[in-house]
Amino acid sequence: MQPRNILSIQSWVAYGHVGNAAAVFPLQRMGFEVWAIHTVQFSNHTGYGQWRGMILPPEHLSEVVEGMAERGVLGQCDAVLSGYMGSGGTAEAILSALERVRRLNPRALFCCDPVMGDEGRGLFVRPEIPEVIKHQVLPQADILTPNQFELELLTERLTKTLREVLEAAHIVRAHLHPGGPRIVVVTSLLREGAPEGTIETLALANEGAWLVRTPRIPLEPPRNGTGDAIAALFLGHYLKSGSVALSLENAVSAMYNLLLLTHEMNTREIQLIAAQEEYVNPSRRFSAERVA
């Protein structure tokens, strides 16, 4: 069988693992060809407070896509994956690339990680980005992977209970690409009623909703790149299995084992390479519980 291909348009860092530097290797380890286009080229992620490098203009992204089109390969793309969008222009360039892919392969999926902020840090993108994602990007997405903070931002609703999380996820799902599976994966979920010392991930699709719960690993400061990695893992497993529940189990289990290894090694960066076997066969598994 020919390998399946994923176009991943995200940021890049030379040192550490965020954006494409967190998403590309796990997908490659799972057997996918990944066509990576970088929206920024930084020395390290911005969580350190200091970094060097540059934001690449949207025209750069478009030029790279045009070069791939000239090779006649865009129709072989099975999925587009996007993460941090530095500007509205970047979002427009990503959507233009998606439109070109879908024109040649209508079955191609678009998995959007709507990177905007998180609990404790608040919003860390330009003020216009939430509206761009909400009104331009979200309606084109087949799979959306917000964290709890981003889910609340997109819906303007609090999500303190499981019922509130499900209601908010349903609201977002109703606006996703009508031609696709319309899957919402809510990460870093902390809610009332959950056992103490745990963290959850929820997936909602047409078939129902599932929740996977793991122990909460005490990583201080929280490690960057975890959202980028789990979005890639869920997309990869979904392309392989077509099962929302199984993809959720595999992605969350792999992430837990990756973060546990990071905690044990006491490193500032997630141990993405050392944990590579987890992406294919997680050493410790957590089951998905159907909740709707």
Side-chain angles (χ1 to χ4, degrees), residues 155-274:
T155 60
E156 299 179 2
R157 297 169 68 106
L158 293 176
T159 57
K160 293 184 179 298
T161 66
L162 179 57
R163 180 178 177 179
E164 290 172 340
V165 174
L166 286 168
E167 288 174 351
H170 274 291
I171 290 171
V172 168
R173 182 177 179 271
H175 291 88
L176 294 184
H177 182 234
R182 295 198 300 167
I183 301 166
V184 179
V185 180
V186 185
T187 63
S188 303
L189 180 55
L190 299 171
R191 61 173 178 92
E192 296 175 0
E196 188 175 352
T198 64
I199 191 167
E200 298 170 324
T201 305
L202 178 138
L204 173 71
N206 190 51
E207 311 93 285
W210 293 267
L211 194 70
V212 175
R213 180 183 303 123
T214 70
R216 190 178 183 187
I217 301 171
L219 289 169
E220 289 297 336
R223 301 306 190 258
N224 296 69
T226 57
D228 307 318
I230 196 168
L233 287 165
F234 181 87
L235 173 62
H237 281 293
Y238 185 74
L239 286 172
K240 282 179 172 288
S241 70
S243 166
V244 175
L246 180 60
S247 302
L248 183 67
E249 287 184 1
N250 284 332
V252 174
S253 298
M255 279 304 303
Y256 175 81
N257 296 326
L258 163 60
L259 292 177
L260 182 61
L261 179 61
T262 301
H263 176 61
E264 291 171 345
M265 296 181 68
N266 193 30
T267 56
R268 179 66 179 84
E269 296 290 339
I270 55 174
Q271 288 298 305
L272 197 82
I273 308 303

